[in-house]
Amino acid sequence: MEAEAAPLINHLSLQPATNIFPTTTPFLAYQGTHHSCNLTVITNGKDEVHGTGVDNVGTTPAALATFLALERLHLDETKTDLLINAGTCGGFQAMGAAIGDVYLTTAVANHDRRIPIPSFTEYGIGKISSLQVDNLSKELGAKKGICTTGNSLDAHELDHFHMNQNEASVKDMEAAAIAWSCELHKTPHFGLKVVTDIVDGDKPTQEEFMENLGTAAKSLQEALPIAIEFICGKGHDEFVGNMWQGKGMNQGLFWDTDTANGRSHGLWSSDSTDK
């Protein structure tokens, strides 16, 4: 959500960027530099179509904002080498999650795209691996796990069945959509999520989410600068293992709520109403 992104935007003194999105979209972008990295943070903006003025959440704005931003940066010959999807999420206590835990995604999948037709079943689940960031996980003291995505805040019996089939540790409303757009651009990606509620707990999701959103947002704001400091100026091989050599980096961070010559660090900030 925009409220989650604001502290980071202010902390890094990022400025509004009006050339990233078409004027017909509600999406917002902010850019600046931090050490050797050039940063872009995006948010999904507010709902104008239905006139509610609430934060745009869910897979539709997430996929579109990510695609348009990556496309624009690529047109500017500023290839984004890494996108970070940052925001809140629901956690599964059966998988060891607790309120306030920081998670880095190992993969994403959908739990509400149920298409029981041969070949379409796998497409509906749409599992996509995240960039493996073991060194960053150690630096943050973060847990790792699969993030399952759906367009509803709550979850019913059939959702729980498919989330279990996805072997999910956390749940949100955007991660799989963001990953899909990244895959189209061949942009590496991972999620940095903070748990606001327990999906398999006994409290109503909306109540627990609102109760813990402030605490989770604070944890997110503590984890993100550490992640940026750790990643900025390093080659991919230094924080994800022996996958790349070299130091040139563009990164992106999408809030569930990423540039110029040299290393670039992009932050795609969109609304993450997890759960």
Side-chain angles (χ1 to χ4, degrees):
M1 295 181 178
E2 289 189 34
E4 294 174 300
L8 181 67
I9 292 169
N10 293 333
H11 176 71
L12 298 176
S13 299
L14 304 182
Q15 299 300 313
T18 59
N19 64 335
I20 301 296
F21 296 113
T23 57
T24 52
T25 70
F27 312 134
L28 302 174
Y30 304 85
Q31 292 183 316
T33 60
H34 183 69
H35 298 320
S36 58
C37 295
N38 298 305
L39 313 177
T40 301
V41 174
I42 68 171
T43 67
N44 285 342
K46 303 292 187 179
D47 168 47
E48 299 173 359
V49 173
H50 305 291
T52 65
V54 301
D55 290 288
N56 283 311
V57 299
T59 57
T60 300
L64 182 58
T66 304
F67 182 89
L68 289 174
L70 289 173
E71 190 76 2
R72 175 62 188 183
L73 292 176
H74 286 193
L75 287 175
D76 290 341
E77 298 183 353
T78 310
K79 183 179 183 297
T80 303
D81 295 318
L82 175 64
L83 182 146
I84 306 171
N85 164 13
T88 58
C89 65
F92 294 84
Q93 60 184 1
M95 300 294 283
I99 300 296
D101 281 350
V102 177
Y103 269 86
L104 300 181
T105 63
T106 57
V108 299
N110 298 282
H111 60 260
D112 63 352
R113 299 202 318 185
R114 298 181 286 273
I115 313 173
I117 300 173
S119 297
F120 280 87
T121 299
E122 183 177 357
Y123 164 78
I125 295 169
K127 187 174 182 179
I128 298 174
S129 295
S130 302
L131 190 65
Q132 301 307 297
V133 286
D134 294 341
N135 291 342
L136 178 59
S137 175
K138 294 174 183 177
E139 181 73 11
L140 293 174
K143 297 179 179 179
K144 296 182 295 181
I146 295 171
C147 181
T148 188
T149 295
N151 273 299
S152 293
L153 185 68
D154 61 6
H156 296 280
E157 185 176 349
L158 195 55
D159 293 314
H160 280 281
F161 173 80
H162 287 283
M163 290 188 290
N164 183 60
Q165 290 292 299
N166 286 342
E167 299 181 320
S169 293
V170 294
K171 169 186 178 292
D172 82 344
M173 295 175 66
E174 291 93 7
I178 295 167
W180 183 79
S181 289
C182 286
E183 291 293 305
L184 293 179
H185 286 89
K186 302 188 185 313
T187 299
H189 52 87
F190 70 89
L192 191 161
K193 303 286 187 175
V194 179
V195 176
T196 55
D197 60 274
I198 300 303
V199 182
D200 51 350
D202 55 6
K203 285 188 176 181
T205 299
Q206 62 274 20
E207 293 180 13
E208 195 168 25
F209 169 68
M210 295 306 298
E211 179 181 331
N212 297 306
L213 180 58
T215 300
K218 181 179 179 181
S219 294
L220 186 63
Q221 295 309 324
E222 292 172 351
L224 278 173
I226 297 173
I228 292 172
E229 291 289 340
F230 182 79
I231 293 171
C232 195
K234 288 184 171 64
H236 284 137
D237 56 305
E238 296 178 76
F239 63 94
V240 302
N242 298 317
M243 296 185 67
W244 284 277
Q245 299 296 324
K247 300 288 187 178
M249 288 169 50
N250 276 316
Q251 296 178 2
L253 176 111
F254 190 107
W255 223 288
D256 250 334
T257 58
D258 282 73
T259 62
N261 297 324
R263 305 181 189 98
S264 278
H265 184 157
L267 304 180
W268 299 102
S269 169
S270 165
D271 331 86
S272 193
T273 341
D274 83 60
K275 305 20 110 222

